Amino acid sequence: MKTFPLLINLLFMIVSWSIGVYFLSVIYTPTIIIPLFNDFIWIRDYKGLLGLTAIFTVLTIPLVAIFYKKRGQMKRKTTWYGMNAITHLLWIGTLALQVKTVLYNLGICH
């Protein structure tokens, strides 16, 4: 199987970490407001911007390592690309939530 989807996962992780670290230096507040559908969560700034990223990084790195190690043994392409598509969607969702939280806290989405 191709290693390109694994590199896309690593790229999403790097972009998510860089967005979180950059906006921690831009937003000067001890608490971050995370907007939900009908409620808000007040949370510390590091947990608010990097919490979900840290959780998905801890889950994704072993998964990517297993995928990379077993990429020659995977017989079913649908399983391979399905698992990669799910991890891509999770990372895109994480990036979207980070950007939404940052925009809300900067006052753009009030």
Side-chain angles (χ1 to χ4, degrees), residues 36-90:
L36 299 175
F37 293 114
N38 59 355
D39 201 12
F40 300 101
I41 297 175
W42 292 71
I43 197 164
R44 295 280 309 158
D45 53 353
Y46 290 99
K47 288 181 186 176
L49 290 176
L50 293 176
L52 196 59
T53 302
I55 290 170
F56 282 144
T57 300
V58 168
L59 295 176
T60 303
I61 287 179
L63 188 67
V64 167
I66 290 169
F67 281 168
Y68 185 76
K69 187 176 179 181
K70 303 262 184 187
R71 72 184 187 281
Q73 300 170 357
M74 298 285 281
K75 300 293 184 200
R76 296 180 167 246
K77 288 184 179 182
T78 56
T79 304
W80 172 261
Y81 289 114
M83 289 183 182
N84 278 309
I86 289 170
T87 56
H88 291 343
L89 288 174
L90 287 175

Side-chain angles (χ1 to χ4, degrees), residues 6-60:
L6 300 176
L7 294 175
I8 292 174
N9 279 332
L10 293 176
L11 178 73
F12 282 146
M13 284 192 324
I14 291 169
V15 168
S16 181
W17 278 102
S18 62
I19 285 174
V21 169
Y22 173 73
F23 282 112
L24 277 175
S25 67
V26 171
I27 299 173
Y28 301 108
T29 182
T31 59
I32 296 288
I33 302 169
I34 299 177
L36 299 175
F37 293 114
N38 59 355
D39 201 12
F40 300 101
I41 297 175
W42 292 71
I43 197 164
R44 295 280 309 158
D45 53 353
Y46 290 99
K47 288 181 186 176
L49 290 176
L50 293 176
L52 196 59
T53 302
I55 290 170
F56 282 144
T57 300
V58 168
L59 295 176
T60 303

